[in-house]
Amino acid sequence: QVQLVESGGGLVQAGGSLRLSCAASDSIDSPNALAWYRQAPEKPREWVASINSGGMTNYSHSIRGRFTISRDDAGNTVFLQMNSLKPEDTAAYLCNAVVRGIWTFWGQGTQVTVLS
């Protein structure tokens, strides 16, 4: 059982930046994909970005060019660098791991609030 713990959320003015981190409690087997999702109040959970164990990245249209996903060399921590933040980026950001296409794990989330 892998536990994912997010950190780095907070309050920021529009146009500002935040860097989110998600650390796994244990080594994550390959192949795997680590992703960030977000969920605003009364809205469905939205996929934001993902990175697989080969380093390939994908981004949602809504954040492309502003957010960057990366992972550390060990592959057990994933980051989300968020620049040019907008009020509509306000949400709880959740970390997700899919391991060997079989097991799925979620973190508890970290709140990001962008003030206009």
Side-chain angles (χ1 to χ4, degrees):
Q1 184 80 4
V2 174
Q3 292 185 335
L4 303 174
V5 180
E6 302 97 333
S7 61
L11 208 62
V12 65
Q13 294 285 341
S17 298
L18 283 173
R19 188 183 193 225
L20 306 183
S21 299
C22 171
S25 59
D26 209 345
S27 297
I28 302 176
D29 289 343
S30 293
N32 62 68
L34 301 179
W36 288 97
Y37 287 72
R38 65 186 182 186
Q39 187 159 21
E42 300 182 0
K43 289 189 176 181
R45 188 168 293 182
E46 174 191 13
W47 168 74
V48 174
S50 59
I51 182 168
N52 67 15
S53 42
M56 184 176 297
T57 58
N58 281 291
Y59 296 95
S60 164
H61 251 303
S62 62
I63 57 85
R64 192 169 295 168
R66 298 189 296 122
F67 292 8
T68 302
I69 191 170
S70 61
R71 59 196 298 171
D72 67 349
D73 290 342
N76 298 321
T77 302
V78 62
F79 307 98
L80 187 67
Q81 177 66 42
M82 305 187 296
N83 299 328
S84 302
L85 282 161
K86 305 175 182 180
E88 51 262 45
D89 295 320
T90 294
Y93 283 72
L94 301 103
C95 181
N96 167 273
V98 177
V99 182
R100 295 186 179 180
I102 300 173
W103 298 286
T104 299
F105 304 97
W106 288 93
Q108 293 297 310
T110 185
Q111 180 66 35
V112 171
T113 302
V114 184
L115 304 175
S116 57

